[in-house]
Each structure stands twice: as C-alpha cells, then as structure tokens.
Amino acid sequence: MSLTEFQALSTSPAATWGRIVLPPALSGEPEPESSRAVLLESAWTLVEPLIRAFEHEANLSRQSFTALIREHAAATGSSQSTLLRTLLRYYYFGGTRLALLPLPPGTKPGQAGYADTAEGEQSPVRRRGRQPALAQELGRNDFVVRPKDIEDMVACFKRLLRKGPTFKTSAHEDYLAGEFRTRHPELYKDYLTHQAPEPVTARQFRYYVDEHLRVSEELARNIRTHERNPGYLGSVRAAGPGEIYEIDATGGRLHLVSGDSPPVHLGKPTIYLLIDRWSRYVVSAYMSLRAASYEEVRHALLIAFTSREARFSRLGVNVTDERWPVGRMPAVICPDRGSDFMSDSMEQSVVNNLRIDLTPLPPLCPDGKAIVERLIREIKRRMAASGIAGVYADRPMDPKSKKAARKAAAAATRTLADAYRLLIDIIVDHNNRPHRTLRRRRLLTNAGVRPTPRDAYLWGLKNITGLRSAPLSDDDYYRLLLNTDKASIANGVLSYKSRPYLPSNEMAVDLARHSTRRPKSIDIRLDKTFPTEIYVPTTRGTWASFQMSAGAANELAGVSLDEEDAFAGRTALLWARADHDGRIARVAAKSSNRTASQSRAGAQPSPDTNMVDTDAAVSQASPPRTNRGGKPTAAKLPNVEQIAARNQETARMKDQLHGRVTNRELEPEEPIAADWMRLEEEERLRSLELIRKHRSKR
C-alpha cells in the first residue's frame, strides 16, 4: 500500500483502527535445538543471500531475478524450483522467517472447524478423507475404522479366498453383510434403511486389505482383479437406446441336475444375452440345456419384447414389468457368425418380419461386440461369487482348474429353473447398478438421471431416439418369431413330419379347399417345443392355422420335435433289435430240423432278458447315494440319454415360461421313454414265447 493510499484511508470517517494477530505458526519461535529450530536455520541459511541481494531494486528486474536464483541453486546444489517456492513463501507471509517452516494442515472450506480442547486433553479421533456425495442427504460419515475392523476385513477376505477365487469388490459386500453387521448392528441397520451413508467404502476396504493381508501362495492364487485398458475405447458406439442391440451365447460355468427323483446330471447350460449398446441395459436373458439353434434364440427374443410377468410367474421369479421393463424393438442386432444366429429362420423372422437389420461381425472379431462380452465375464464372475453348489470360477485349462470343475460337477444340486432364477437376479442387479460409462455422459447428468442402465434406457427412449413403440402384442411377437420350415398340403390336409394337420380357422379352410391331390410344398411357421399348431403365412393379415389331428397328438404324447429327434437313434435301435430277433425266430421255425432249432432256442436265453433282470437286481441292491448336504447324488448317464434328459428339462422350463400345463406335469415319476421301452421288451418276449409254443405243437 502506498503512503498516499494509507493517508487517504486513515482520514476516512468509515475507517477504524484495528489489530491483526498472526497465527501461532507464524508468531511462536521454535524451542532452541529442536528439530523445528534446526529446520528453520537450514532454510534461512539457504535463502538469506538471495534476500540480501533482492534488497536492491535493480536485482528485481526480469533479467536479474531468475538469473540470481539459478546461479544460487547451482552454487548450493539445490533445486531451482524449490528455492523459488521457498523464497516466495518468505515474501508472501510478510517477510517473517517462520514462514519458511511447513504450516500445520487446517480445515478445508465448507468443513466445520475442530473444537478447542483444554491443555493436556487428547483431541478426538476423526474420520480422514472426503465426505461422500450423499452427505447432504444421508448425513456425514463419521465412522472411524479401528484395528478390530481391519482384522474383520482381513478375516473376511481370507474366508472367501479359502472357498475359491474372490474379487475385492464382492468381498467388500460380504464384509458389510457379515462381520460389520455383527460388530456394528445399529450403524448397519441405519445403513440398510437409508439413514446413514456407507460406513466403509470399497476403496477403504481395498486399502486396508492390501496393507494388512498376509496369505500363503495357494490362497494368493485365488485373488482376482479387474483387468482394465483405459487407453482403448473401441468403436462400439450408438446414438441412443434402441438403436443397436448386441446378442451372444456362452456356456455357463455351472453344472445342473434334473428335477426328477433321483436326479440326473445334465451338464452345463447355454446362456443367451441381449444388451443395449448405448445404455448397457440387459434387455433379455435366457438359459437352455439344448444345443445352439434358432429355437433357443427365439425364446431369448420373445422374452425381450413381451411381458416379464407373464413369462416368469410360473418359475417363481420375483420380476415385474416395473422392476425389469420390457425392451423396445431395435433398429439393428449385432450377432457373431454362429449357426444359431445365421440360420434361415433368423433371417425370415428378424429381418423380413420384424424389420430388424442384422450386422454379423467378421470372423475372428469378438471386440466388435465388446459390451456383451464384458457382460458375459461379469455374469460368470457373479455366479462364481454366489457360492451355490456346482459352480466353478475358471476355465478348465490346468490341473487345478480341471479339478475344481470336476468337484463342481460332483456337487451339483441345482436345476435349470434354479439357475435361471439366479441369472435373473444378477441381470436385475446389473440394470440397477451405476455404470462408469454412463457416469461420463453429461447428457444424463444435466437431466438429473441416475447413471444406471435401467434409468438411462428408459430416459433415452423418451428423450433421445423419439422412436414409437411397435404396434405389436405378445401374440404378434410369438407368431413373428416362430421357426420356419417346409411342409406339404394335399386333399385339404397339411402334412409335416409325416403327421396330419387339419385347418382350424377360416384362412386355413380356404387354403385347404384350393389344395390339389398332388402334394404341394409350402412355407410354414411353428414352435418346435409345442408342435401341435402350425401357421402358414399369408399376405392378407391373418395367418392360416392348422391343428394336429387327435391321433397324431396322442402319438406325440407331449414330446417336442427336438426331443423326438433326440430319441430317433434309440427308436431305430429298438426297431432293429426287435426285427432282428423276430426274423431269427421265423428262420428257425422254417428249419427242417425242428428238434435242433427247439433246443437251440430253449438253451440260449435272450441276452436282453438277462440285461434287464441284471439292471433291475442292481437297482434294487444298491440304494441311491447322497452328497454331504443329504441330497441324492445325480446319476451319470450315457451321452445320448443325457441329451434327452437335457431337452426334457429345458422343455419343462419353456412350458412354465409360456404358462402351459402339459403332460409333463402329470406324468408319473418314471419317464415315458422308460415305460415305452419296458412295454416294447415285454411284447417282444411275449412274441418269442408264442413262437416257441407253436413250434413245440408241431
């Protein structure tokens, strides 16, 4: 301040004289020979020559100021930037030597100041770090982590590592639900009821675990971390929700059993996922035990665009259309080049009927649908962390991971419906969990939308794309997503798979009336899991509907066409075996040597009879085994029989998704195929006995 300004201010009527008191850090001299005194002396010795030099105004010019600091730094062997900052501190705080000492940390702007404590009292321990973003809504987080809490964190993480591969993020949730709830029940209750912020954050949990964790090399192998590549963002972009969906199928890392008693081991399921590229919203999730085909993709698409409540009510899944909103018809679906996605039925239903473009990826290009691939990794991680029986974490590639997969197969107790419920819970949690990509979208921040896939998807459909909902009902989606195939029609009857179908609506009657005597090939649409009804697409709106005749439906006995194809090999084997044995008996009857043929037929028992009796004796002598949980151990079946059991379990779940009650729910505990085989065997033995009696009468 210049002298003129000071005089003008002192003569002003509004000016008053006051006293400015320096803080203790700038007014109290340190004790002699203390560490602060030594530090102050060394700092003053370093900058004193420069302070003396800058008392001359000529040395403050642009040419001399920096040059003098540079020369003094080179002479003393110190850093030029450190010397400059120390010198500026001296001038900034009014030219006092105490300014060369480091100042004690103070409170940040907006934070309450520390309460004054009496001399000799110990200041209370306060929480370090910044307050959470929800402090204004839920209050301040004043919880301080104690040594006992750190011991609980480490013990929780070790406990999970003993069970298998563990991520620190999932271990943090287990710690809050277990050890923290036990030690701090009141605070945990407030946290669950949204009356207090998160007491221990995931960042704190990782920090204390990394600092205090000491484990063996074997347990250290189970520590999992997320691999991130922040420098690669890829080209998977979309303008808004509903523009591009990514679809993929993957094999689940869990073993399932059937719902029969005793249970049968069914192997691993296939998981189909459909996700919106812009919002990361999972539109559909489907699980099946059948081989990959369009029939399974059809169910995944059907779940995406129809009511959740109608699909999952019979499965006992707590899902509503509000909790998991129905998806919007997309403009583009991006699949890979799997046979299930490149079939003719997929092209006819999705491209021609629903008017959705398919953009298959080039070969060996999985990063073209990196979002759904990342979702698959997350779902497998969450399933492994769930701790259910029959789940394993890593792909079986080395002896350790192969052993873990074998143990999971031996411990399997979950059915397909149980695994599907777990998958739906993971999907709903994913849709309502904040996503880092959505956090960077300033469009959502400006609109006050939470960065969760569900909220971003619903908000974007109303405010970005401007698309209108397709005027289609659940029945329309069901018809448009049916399989395509060929059938023939002649004399008013439609024939498919050697079974007759009769017209059931006016369009079908008109089509049957104009049919000729010679069979004509036509395009049909059908649901292979429920083949009693077949549709013939027409250009006049309503499709022609044909119903399977009562006799053909009785022969099919509620079995799907895929199950029938699976039984085709066994049917052919039984037919060939019966035909072979019958032909031997007829040839023997025509032999001239009746006595020799009779002795030959009587001395050689039927090998199948012995096999059936032996199997029955073994089943009566050995009771079913049980695992550690007391549940019966799943039986191992041959490959052909396991495929049939997998198809039957998937068909049972599909009936529940469609809300149908079929013969599968009313059948006895013994499978239909087993009854059919037993009756066939009894009929064959009865025929052989009649042939023997006829020969003995001659």
Side-chain angles (χ1 to χ4, degrees), residues 509-568:
V509 172
D510 184 66
L511 186 63
R513 186 184 301 116
H514 292 83
S515 62
T516 60
R517 293 184 177 181
R518 177 176 295 180
K520 179 182 177 181
S521 177
I522 58 174
D523 296 324
I524 63 171
R525 308 291 292 273
L526 79 157
D527 181 0
K528 290 188 176 181
T529 61
F530 197 69
T532 58
E533 187 174 14
I534 284 180
Y535 296 95
V536 178
T538 60
T539 58
R540 288 176 288 177
T542 305
W543 287 2
S545 175
F546 289 81
Q547 291 285 342
M548 184 184 293
S549 64
N554 189 26
E555 292 178 359
L556 200 59
V559 178
S560 67
L561 296 182
D562 291 334
E563 291 174 334
E564 186 183 35
D565 294 339
F567 280 108

Side-chain angles (χ1 to χ4, degrees), residues 598-611:
Q598 291 176 4
S599 61
R600 222 176 15 252
Q604 183 178 1
S606 173
D608 295 329
T609 305
N610 294 337
M611 180 184 67

